[in-house]
């Protein structure tokens, strides 16, 4: 049985324990870890299921149909960890509802919140977050997509790429350059509905673990003044604040993948004959299992500490979230690789859980801040403490 002792840690309370138990039962009944060829259909169906199950209510505040008054990062992390352990695609569907609505939750007007958040919570609108560009991935300040003010609103020209839910989203939170200053000072955020003239899907992108991704193109696309999200020129800060909330949960998804890999590897070791005993009797196997347990537990501690700081202490947790994401995603890659090795040839056979996990984990070390970016964040916070 997978270790659930972390639920008794002081970072979590009784409501989180009930959430974990209820979601585990729901996942067992509703989710499959095998997927067909039509990923778009499956993602739409998963958003619908997650909405009907009430899980998307954790993505928005209670005033708009949510569970908590404010976003509770511990709940978001628990949900992503549990979903990822059962289905990477279900985790993806949930995560994008949160990320794609997070900027509206944090900075939207009352009219914007009413127009989008209740529908996100019900699974009636699929959300997306359009930040990355072909020439600016980790360097967000180098984005080139422009939003020029014109009579009656803004004209948008440019492109975004590797946009999750691209091609199936009902709306996008879009970041574009409005020119109030150089670099990150001249970026603003907008809400863009999918039927806006001038928006096109330039390319659907196939990646190592199938998810709906696309390159978006904007050719003279016009947005009304009401599409502006928050204050002009504050888009970079808004994007970073949104990522600060959800970065910890990326680590939680990686933790879910790692827990599943450890569970699969343990069952394999205890059931696979090796000589006169079992694979689990082998000292090398035991050493690998010990390393996997260590990685899982340390990741969990970092993740729920970062979430606890955000939820209960109200602190900005950029350092702690970076530590959690970096360690959890990198160590999950190692845990899953060990599991694949333990399965031998079966471990690289398509459709076997550890093979699917091997493909699922890789992207988490890149998106929402690559591992190298997290190291910069950690080092700068560390040095700033000494400089003070």
């Amino acid at each position: 049985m997978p270790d659930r002792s972390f639920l008794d840690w002081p970072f979590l309370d009784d409501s989180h324990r009930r959430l974990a138990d209820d979601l585990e039962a729901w996942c067992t009944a509703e989710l499959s870890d095998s997927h067909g060829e039509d990923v778009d259909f499956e993602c739409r169906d998963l958003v619908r299921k997650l909405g009907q199950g009430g899980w998307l209510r954790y993505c928005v505040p209670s005033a708009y149909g949510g569970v908590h008054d404010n976003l509770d990062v511990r709940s978001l992390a628990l949900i992503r960890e549990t979903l990822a352990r059962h289905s990477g695609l279900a985790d993806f569907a949930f995560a994008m509802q949160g990320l794609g609505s997070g900027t509206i939750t944090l900075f939207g007007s009352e009219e914007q919140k009413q127009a989008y958040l209740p529908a996100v919570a019900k699974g009636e609108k699929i959300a997306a977050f359009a930040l990355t560009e072909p020439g600016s991935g980790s360097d967000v300040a180098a984005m080139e997509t422009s939003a020029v003010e014109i009579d009656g609103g803004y004209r948008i020209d440019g492109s975004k790429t590797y946009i999750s839910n691209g091609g199936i989203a009902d709306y996008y939170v879009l970041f574009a350059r409005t020119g109030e200053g150089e670099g990150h000072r001249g970026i603003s955020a907008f809400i863009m509905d999918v039927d806006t003239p001038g928006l096109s899907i330039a390319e659907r992108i196939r990646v190592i673990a199938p998810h709906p991704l696309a390159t978006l193109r904007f050719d003279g696309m016009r947005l009304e003044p009401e599409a502006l999200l928050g204050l002009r020129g504050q888009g970079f800060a808004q994007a970073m604040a949104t990522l600060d909330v959800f970065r910890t949960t990326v680590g939680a998804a990686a933790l879910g993948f790692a827990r599943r890999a450890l569970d699969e590897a343990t069952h394999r070791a205890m059931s696979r004959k090796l000589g006169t005993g079992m694979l689990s009797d082998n000292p090398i196997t035991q050493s690998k299992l010990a390393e996997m347990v260590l990685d899982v537990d340390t990741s969990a501690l970092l993740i729920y500490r970062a979430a606890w700081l955000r939820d209960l202490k109200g602190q900005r947790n950029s350092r702690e979230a970076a530590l959690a994401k970096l360690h959890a995603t990198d160590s999950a890659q190692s845990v899953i690789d060990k599991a694949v090795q333990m399965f031998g040839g079966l471990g690289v056979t398509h459709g076997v859980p550890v093979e699917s996990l091997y493909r699922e984990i890789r992207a988490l070390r890149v998106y929402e801040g690559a591992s190298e970016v997290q190291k910069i964040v950690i080092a700068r916070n560390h040095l700033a403490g000494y400089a003070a």
Side-chain angles (χ1 to χ4, degrees):
M1 177 180 292
D3 178 34
R4 289 169 61 83
S5 61
F6 76 101
L7 292 173
D8 294 324
W9 292 349
F11 295 130
L12 304 172
D13 60 31
D14 287 342
S15 70
H16 297 112
R17 297 177 189 103
R18 288 193 298 271
L19 166 61
D21 289 341
D22 291 345
L23 181 56
E24 179 64 29
W26 183 86
C27 288
T28 301
E30 297 290 339
L31 296 182
S32 169
D33 58 6
S34 62
H35 303 291
E37 294 296 318
D38 193 341
V39 176
D40 289 1
F41 172 82
E42 288 193 52
C43 274
R44 290 190 182 99
D45 189 54
L46 283 165
V47 170
R48 179 187 60 79
K49 281 184 176 180
L50 289 164
Q52 291 177 348
W55 309 115
L56 297 180
R57 295 179 60 223
Y58 289 89
C59 294
V60 306
S62 57
Y64 309 97
V67 174
H68 298 286
D69 291 343
N70 300 299
L71 294 178
D72 184 79
V73 182
R74 290 168 297 168
S75 295
L76 295 170
L78 274 171
I79 292 171
R80 289 203 65 180
E81 178 187 338
T82 306
L83 290 175
R85 190 155 46 81
H86 286 269
S87 165
L89 204 56
D91 165 64
F92 171 90
F94 175 85
M96 287 314 304
Q97 290 297 96
L99 183 63
S101 63
T103 313
I104 301 174
T105 293
L106 296 175
F107 302 103
S109 67
E110 183 62 24
E111 291 76 15
Q112 289 169 334
K113 291 176 181 178
Q114 291 289 356
Y116 292 93
L117 298 184
V120 166
K122 295 174 184 175
E124 295 172 353
K125 281 186 184 292
I126 296 178
F129 187 80
L131 183 66
T132 301
E133 296 189 0
S136 62
S138 296
D139 186 10
V140 175
M143 74 169 57
E144 297 180 350
T145 295
S146 63
V148 178
E149 191 167 10
I150 59 174
D151 288 342
Y154 296 86
R155 175 188 168 114
I156 314 293
D157 291 282
S159 63
K160 298 288 180 180
T161 195
Y162 291 103
I163 304 305
S164 296
N165 279 345
I168 70 168
D170 294 296
Y171 76 89
Y172 300 82
V173 170
L174 168 70
F175 297 87
R177 183 163 298 286
T178 43
E180 289 76 16
E182 296 295 323
H184 64 78
R185 296 181 181 87
I187 296 170
S188 299
F190 300 86
I191 304 174
M192 172 186 68
D193 290 320
V194 69
D195 58 359
T196 304
L199 165 64
S200 62
I201 304 299
E203 178 189 13
R204 294 301 301 271
I205 303 170
R206 295 188 66 182
V207 289
I208 189 170
H211 295 137
L213 295 173
T215 297
L216 313 180
R217 189 175 305 283
F218 319 109
D219 294 305
M221 185 181 75
R222 299 196 174 209
L223 295 176
E224 299 293 323
E226 295 75 22
L228 180 68
L229 180 51
L231 300 175
R232 275 188 56 155
Q234 295 299 307
F236 180 85
Q238 293 167 357
M240 294 305 105
T242 305
L243 292 172
D244 266 356
V245 172
F246 290 96
R247 186 167 287 137
T248 301
T249 77
V250 181
L255 175 60
F257 292 145
R259 285 197 195 279
R260 176 66 182 273
L262 176 57
D263 188 39
E264 295 288 337
T266 303
H267 285 299
R268 173 71 171 178
M270 294 177 70
S271 61
R272 178 70 168 176
K273 288 185 178 180
L274 182 66
T276 58
M278 307 303 292
L279 186 59
S280 58
D281 298 322
N282 184 280
I284 296 176
T285 301
Q286 293 177 3
S287 175
K288 294 300 182 186
L289 288 170
E291 292 169 359
M292 295 161 80
V293 170
L294 176 62
D295 280 341
V296 165
D297 259 28
T298 50
S299 293
L301 283 163
L302 287 167
I303 289 160
Y304 290 106
R305 178 188 68 163
W308 175 81
L309 281 172
R310 176 83 187 196
D311 292 340
L312 263 65
K313 295 296 183 180
Q315 296 178 208
R316 182 162 188 180
N317 65 344
S318 299
R319 172 184 176 275
E320 290 76 16
L323 284 164
K325 182 184 187 293
L326 173 64
H327 185 274
T329 55
D330 281 4
S331 66
Q333 182 89 57
S334 176
V335 167
I336 293 166
D337 187 71
K338 290 182 176 74
V340 168
Q341 197 73 9
M342 220 172 286
F343 271 76
L346 192 60
V348 292
T349 303
H350 184 74
V352 173
V354 293
E355 181 271 340
S356 299
L357 291 167
Y358 194 84
R359 289 183 287 107
E360 287 282 1
I361 188 56
R362 192 58 185 87
L364 273 67
R365 296 173 60 203
V366 175
Y367 74 68
E368 292 190 40
S371 293
E372 292 75 12
V373 173
Q374 305 312 317
K375 291 177 182 179
I376 292 171
V377 171
I378 294 162
R380 286 178 177 172
N381 273 272
H382 174 72
L383 293 169
Y386 275 78

